[in-house]
Amino acid sequence: MPSHGTPTLTFAALIRLIMGREEIPLAKRSELCSAIRKFAEVCSLTPGDIIADPAIIRALAAKAPWLLRGYSKGSWANIMSRVRKALELAGVKVHRQRRNFTLSPAWEELVAPLSTRDRRDIRRFAGWCSVREISPQDVTPSTFEQFYAYLEQQMIQRNPRERGHVARRAWSRAIALPGSPYQPVPAPEPITKCALRWEDFPQTLQDEVRAYAVKAVTADPFDEGHRPIKPITLSNYLTRLRVMATTLIEAGVPVDRFQTLADLIDPSLVKRAFTLRLPDGEIDDRARKDLGGMAVGALSVARYLDLDDHTREELKNLARKVRFRSSGMCEKNKARLIPLFDPLVRRKLLNLPVRIADQLGKVKEPTVRQAQQMQMAVLLDLLLHVPLRIRNVSELDISKTIVPPVAGSVGNWRIAIDATDVKNGWAIDAELGDELGDMLDRYVNVFRPVLSKMPSTAFFISQSGLRKGPSVLSKQLAAFVRREIGVTIHAHLMRHLAAHLYLIANPGDYETVRRLLGHKHLETTVSFYEGLLTDDAFARYDALIAELRKQADIKSSKPSNDSDDLEEGDFL
């Protein structure tokens, strides 16, 4: 950012500055200014709204929907290159994307014998050191910290710190080997705070946590008061309790204070932790999500320990004060869903699986890359037709839950998931259509074997032959869709899209949406999706206004026999 007292350079000012550089050919100046305007247009901003700062430009570029605006990857790269050139002409320090620093003789000699990968990964750092006359022997952890800061301040490409870590890992992997004269550089401390591990607490508490974990997820037919929880729920409870304890320890509570689970959920300590996590004293929705998870975890432990009524009532009172009541989709999901309201964008998403399948339609011996592409197309089409939770998608198994036609031709593909394997205990039984079935046939018989390195019945497998987890599938799907059509989604957003599409075609039919998404209660469905119809309501009202204006224009174009002489009462 500009220093204090320095006029802020916006893109509008940058355009004026570039056009005033008469020593630059007019065609070149126009080209640079056009790129600046196009960048602002893609970001849905005016040039006057954008500060010419690399960090700000990097953040905008990371979210810019350039693919939706009709730019190819090469065209967008040219725009970014010209923006970078304009910044340099204006005196803004910008790191060059190309690693074209001239290496000093010492660095050139050091990197020359390295493998292609190591040489590529270290080249940027080596050039940066060469410009600053830092020899390989002088490299220290502090040198890399300066390099990270430089990238953060001057790079307009994405993930500047990760690019610095790439160089650090290459340094450790290929140069600072044991016995070499070069200093090893350990991984830096994470920027975000990490909660203490259970291993950091007294052994007595660790033993009680393990016993609680076993009991919490184990069904007991002879204990009617005990309801087992899912492993993911247990993991969330324990994580929130660790975070709570870490907050207290950072505030000065000795770690030895937590000898037992009862010590951990002492109401006075829970209340103190809540206060510490509310520096401004305000309990907003974000704070409720944070503290509510801790409160629910503490109550679960209190039930397990069978604590006295007074203690449990104190914990319940705290839980009531921080309880989070969801009133629909979070703002982030609403923002991500908005681009899909556009018919053109929606059509691109709906047609994407079919387009990829058509592109690979004649492939008989696919590469790994083609197999991965087909896998993502199948995943997207499956979520479009059957809006499952991503965990259930990850667990699809050819021998159990996703069943092909009998003898390869009788009937259709079918998904059948038992109620015990679904989040809210609602069984899933869906027969898939012919078009999706044909795509599944191609994936299973032609593309999936390329990925399968060992016998496996998992439907979505990695190159190692192992089942892909929910997080991996969701991230890969998001990257696939963003790369192909330029919008940001995640796997769970497909459930919201399914509700939106159905309600547009069938306003008010929340019962079908409830069954489609597997909600137990209709109130859940209505609270989440009644707002989605607002956009369609305004669109229909807008069409009504347009039609009324059209009718008014037709009427006004007809000859009138009425007198032009108006009396005062005509205006009343």
Side-chain angles (χ1 to χ4, degrees):
M1 293 290 292
S3 60
H4 181 69
T6 304
T8 300
L9 181 67
T10 65
F11 268 22
L14 181 61
I15 290 173
R16 293 193 295 270
L17 190 152
I18 295 297
M19 291 306 296
R21 297 284 296 271
E22 295 183 359
E23 74 276 14
I24 303 173
L26 179 59
K28 183 66 175 178
R29 283 180 278 160
S30 299
E31 183 182 79
L32 295 177
C33 292
S34 175
I36 294 169
R37 292 189 186 96
K38 287 177 179 177
F39 180 91
E41 180 186 355
V42 170
C43 296
S44 299
L45 297 169
T46 67
D49 293 329
I50 302 176
I51 297 175
D53 177 78
I56 292 173
I57 297 169
R58 181 171 66 243
L60 290 172
K63 298 179 180 179
W66 50 269
L67 203 54
L68 286 179
R69 295 297 181 110
Y71 292 106
S72 66
K73 186 176 181 180
S75 298
W76 182 247
N78 287 338
I79 290 173
M80 293 300 297
S81 177
R82 288 163 185 159
V83 168
R84 185 164 49 251
K85 180 63 176 177
L87 292 170
E88 290 175 349
L89 289 172
V92 178
K93 293 182 179 180
V94 182
H95 173 78
R96 291 181 176 271
Q97 182 176 10
R98 297 181 183 273
R99 298 176 289 278
N100 56 358
F101 291 118
T102 300
L103 300 190
S104 67
W107 278 103
E108 191 68 63
E109 181 181 356
L110 181 65
V111 303
L114 301 181
S115 68
T116 301
R117 176 198 173 192
D118 292 334
R119 194 163 56 246
R120 179 194 66 218
D121 289 353
I122 201 68
R123 183 69 166 73
R124 190 193 307 264
F125 175 70
W128 179 83
C129 289
S130 297
V131 169
R132 287 155 182 77
E133 299 182 349
I134 301 173
S135 70
Q137 288 80 4
D138 294 333
V139 171
T140 65
S142 176
T143 309
F144 271 92
E145 285 299 328
Q146 295 172 40
F147 183 56
Y148 297 149
Y150 159 78
L151 294 178
E152 292 276 5
Q153 293 166 5
Q154 299 190 27
M155 177 177 278
I156 65 174
Q157 288 80 42
R158 297 173 63 187
N159 302 324
R161 195 167 183 87
E162 173 55 27
R163 292 171 191 251
H165 289 321
V166 166
R168 177 189 56 76
R169 289 191 289 266
W171 172 267
S172 300
R173 181 176 66 240
I175 296 175
L177 301 171
S180 73
Y182 307 109
Q183 184 173 342
V185 177
E189 290 294 321
I191 296 176
T192 55
K193 292 182 179 180
C194 293
L196 294 175
R197 303 169 302 166
W198 287 121
E199 291 78 3
D200 299 322
F201 290 87
Q203 185 63 47
T204 51
L205 177 60
Q206 295 181 45
D207 293 340
E208 288 198 9
V209 167
R210 278 192 289 269
Y212 160 70
V214 172
K215 176 69 174 178
V217 298
T218 304
D220 185 350
F222 302 105
D223 185 354
E224 295 181 357
H226 172 65
R227 290 192 306 169
I229 59 178
K230 290 183 170 62
I232 185 66
T233 304
L234 171 67
S235 176
N236 289 337
Y237 286 174
L238 293 179
T239 298
R240 301 312 303 154
L241 291 175
R242 278 194 301 114
V243 170
M244 183 181 74
T246 301
T247 300
L248 291 166
I249 291 168
E250 289 177 346
V253 177
V255 69
D256 290 340
R257 171 71 174 79
F258 303 103
Q259 294 290 332
T260 66
L261 280 174
D263 296 335
L264 183 65
I265 62 168
D266 182 313
S268 63
L269 288 179
V270 173
K271 182 178 180 180
R272 183 179 175 188
F274 286 5
T275 303
L276 289 169
R277 296 185 71 82
L278 292 173
D280 56 1
E282 183 179 350
I283 306 180
D284 55 16
D285 281 351
R286 186 171 184 177
R288 289 182 185 279
K289 288 181 181 179
D290 176 37
L291 305 182
M294 296 176 184
V296 174
L299 284 172
S300 175
V301 171
R303 286 191 294 271
Y304 163 73
L305 295 174
D306 196 20
L307 296 181
D308 61 88
D309 292 343
H310 176 71
T311 301
R312 292 174 68 171
E313 191 58 36
E314 283 189 277
L315 291 174
K316 286 180 181 179
N317 286 334
L318 288 171
R320 291 189 194 102
K321 292 179 180 179
V322 299
R323 181 182 176 187
F324 174 72
R325 293 176 174 84
S326 176
S327 57
M329 280 187 289
C330 67
E331 293 303 319
K332 184 181 290 187
N333 280 342
K334 288 179 182 177
R336 287 178 173 172
L337 199 58
I338 285 174
L340 299 178
F341 292 171
D342 184 292
L344 177 61
V345 178
R346 193 163 60 229
R347 187 161 59 248
K348 285 184 177 182
L349 180 68
L350 296 177
N351 290 337
L352 178 55
V354 178
R355 175 166 66 82
I356 297 298
D358 287 345
Q359 289 176 1
L360 302 175
K362 296 182 180 180
V363 174
K364 295 181 179 178
E365 296 182 2
T367 63
V368 170
R369 176 64 185 147
Q370 288 172 329
Q372 292 170 333
Q373 211 176 6
M374 187 64 169
Q375 185 182 74
M376 288 299 104
V378 167
L379 172 59
L380 177 58
D381 212 30
L382 199 59
L383 289 172
L384 284 170
H385 285 86
V386 187
L388 301 170
R389 294 178 177 85
I390 191 60
R391 184 177 69 84
N392 291 123
V393 175
S394 169
E395 294 173 350
L396 287 177
D397 192 294
I398 296 176
S399 66
K400 298 177 182 176
T401 52
I402 183 164
V403 185
V406 178
S409 60
V410 180
N412 291 345
W413 280 81
R414 194 173 202 90
I415 291 179
I417 303 176
D418 191 76
T420 57
D421 295 323
V422 182
K423 177 183 177 181
N424 57 0
W426 188 276
I428 298 170
D429 189 4
E431 183 175 317
L432 309 182
D434 293 337
E435 186 177 49
L436 176 55
D438 291 341
M439 192 182 295
L440 297 179
D441 284 334
R442 284 273 294 162
Y443 168 68
V444 170
N445 296 317
V446 179
F447 295 89
R448 184 176 171 278
V450 176
L451 301 174
S452 182
K453 307 298 183 185
M454 61 179 70
S456 173
T457 56
F459 193 73
F460 291 109
I461 54 176
S462 64
Q463 280 186 262
S464 62
L466 300 176
R467 182 190 309 277
K468 286 187 176 180
S471 178
V472 170
L473 278 179
S474 190
K475 289 177 181 177
Q476 290 181 347
L477 177 68
F480 168 71
V481 172
R482 181 169 178 80
R483 182 175 64 248
E484 294 293 336
I485 64 172
V487 295
T488 300
I489 69 162
H490 52 76
H492 200 75
L493 198 70
M494 303 307 295
R495 289 171 59 81
H496 301 319
L497 178 62
H500 174 66
L501 294 178
Y502 185 83
L503 288 172
I504 285 179
N506 304 275
D509 187 5
Y510 292 103
E511 175 59 24
T512 299
V513 175
R514 181 188 74 81
R515 291 179 176 276
L516 184 67
L517 300 183
H519 291 163
K520 277 189 173 181
H521 306 290
L522 184 62
E523 292 79 5
T524 303
T525 310
V526 174
S527 67
F528 259 78
Y529 301 116
E530 63 179 346
L532 290 181
L533 292 180
T534 303
D535 183 74
D536 187 53
F538 279 115
R540 283 183 284 160
Y541 183 67
D542 183 70
L544 172 63
I545 294 296
E547 179 63 25
L548 291 174
R549 283 177 174 170
K550 182 178 178 181
Q551 293 174 8
D553 289 342
I554 293 173
K555 184 176 181 180
S556 63
S557 66
K558 294 180 180 180
S560 176
N561 295 324
D562 295 337
S563 172
D564 290 335
D565 297 326
L566 299 177
E567 298 181 0
E568 183 178 353
D570 293 330
F571 293 97
L572 298 179

